[in-house]
Amino acid sequence: MLTYWIPQTSCTLPPNASHQVGVGCFVLNDQNQVLVVLENYGPFRGTGVWKIPTGVIHQGEDIFTGAIREIKEETIVNDIRLKLMVYFKNRCNQTIFMISGS
């Protein structure tokens, strides 16, 4: 969560006070095959539903680092070259879409 504590006193906002940032990782290999996984934890566990690797970014974690961590947690993939696509709506209901790479 991004915050800026204005008063000249100690910040009393709890970590992740209002939301968490989630990430879904759409992974392609050199043959343009999509990586999908069976979920071991969560609502799709044991249902036989295939999905992309997903998870929550940890407090203070860079979104690239979190995405790579989630891929590694759910798969055996180690060689990851990441391009990040972000889509969200801000508080003014403006849609933001961007692509970047690392």
Side-chain angles (χ1 to χ4, degrees):
M1 181 165 102
L2 300 175
T3 62
Y4 177 73
W5 188 253
I6 296 173
Q8 296 299 317
T9 60
S10 298
C11 178
T12 59
L13 291 172
N16 299 324
S18 66
H19 64 279
Q20 292 181 308
V21 177
V23 63
C25 307
F26 189 82
V27 181
L28 292 173
N29 66 10
D30 293 336
Q31 290 81 40
N32 285 328
Q33 297 169 318
V34 177
L35 176 69
V36 292
V37 297
L38 288 171
E39 191 166 278
N40 288 326
Y41 308 98
F44 294 117
R45 179 181 178 198
T47 63
V49 173
W50 292 89
K51 67 175 195 77
I52 62 173
T54 60
V56 176
I57 302 300
H58 293 166
Q59 179 185 344
E61 184 176 42
D62 175 87
I63 196 164
F64 286 102
T65 305
I68 290 170
R69 177 185 47 75
E70 287 296 339
I71 294 167
K72 289 182 177 182
E73 282 179 4
E74 297 190 25
T75 70
I76 58 171
V77 175
N78 286 314
D79 183 21
I80 301 167
R81 290 175 296 281
L82 191 64
K83 279 201 183 276
L84 183 66
M85 293 190 300
V86 179
Y87 171 85
F88 64 93
K89 290 190 179 244
N90 65 15
R91 289 184 178 174
C92 298
N93 207 29
Q94 297 170 315
T95 301
I96 313 258
F97 180 76
M98 43 187 203
I99 300 175
S100 57
S102 70

